[in-house]
Amino acid sequence: MTFDPASFDPSTLRYDANGLIPAIAQDHATGEVLMMAWMNAESLQKTLEDGHVTYWSRSRKSFWAKGESSGHVQRLVELRIDCDRDCLLLLVDQTGPACHTNRRSCFYTAMRDGGEVVISEPIA
């Protein structure tokens, strides 16, 4: 993805009171929803500049470059902004599992037949 910094102003996005915006990561090839995390204007700028998805960790209060410790990186293919400008959709090329539980997606629990069902096991 090529990015022209002059063509996008991250201040036009609607961040919450903590300066954060939800970011949903989706596999660009399959459409599978992989995870949801938070970004701030700086993490978004870093992501756009180098193509390696960087989030904001609310618990650590620091940047979190996806895959920095696991090697399960996300490369940004396309950024989409919702109609209210208060949520991001990151179409990514995911290397390895996206979830810290070692599953392909963080959305591995479904409500079926009135109860929770695990629909994806950790990758061996």
Side-chain angles (χ1 to χ4, degrees):
M1 184 181 116
T2 56
F3 171 63
D4 175 10
S7 69
F8 175 66
D9 179 1
S11 70
T12 64
L13 299 175
R14 295 178 52 193
Y15 300 91
D16 70 10
N18 296 311
L20 301 174
I21 190 168
I24 300 164
Q26 182 179 28
D27 186 289
H28 78 98
T30 68
E32 180 181 21
V33 176
L34 301 173
M35 58 177 280
M36 180 274 180
W38 297 93
M39 296 180 107
N40 62 17
E42 292 173 81
S43 65
L44 178 56
Q45 190 69 32
K46 285 176 172 287
T47 298
L48 292 171
E49 286 172 359
D50 67 16
H52 179 193
V53 179
T54 300
Y55 298 104
W56 179 257
S57 170
R58 294 179 303 166
S59 60
R60 293 180 293 206
K61 299 194 182 335
S62 64
F63 293 115
W64 162 44
K66 181 66 176 160
E68 64 190 346
S69 59
S70 68
H72 302 153
V73 298
Q74 290 177 347
R75 183 184 59 79
L76 184 65
V77 175
E78 183 175 301
L79 172 69
R80 295 184 184 178
I81 304 165
D82 82 327
C83 58
D84 294 324
R85 300 188 72 80
D86 63 358
C87 187
L88 304 175
L89 178 62
L90 309 172
L91 300 181
V92 301
D93 180 21
Q94 175 71 46
T95 301
C99 185
H100 73 278
T101 65
N102 214 38
R103 290 173 170 87
R104 173 83 180 147
S105 170
C106 293
F107 297 94
Y108 60 86
T109 304
M111 293 298 295
R112 294 185 179 164
D113 299 322
E116 289 187 25
V117 179
V118 174
I119 58 173
S120 173
E121 295 300 327
I123 297 170

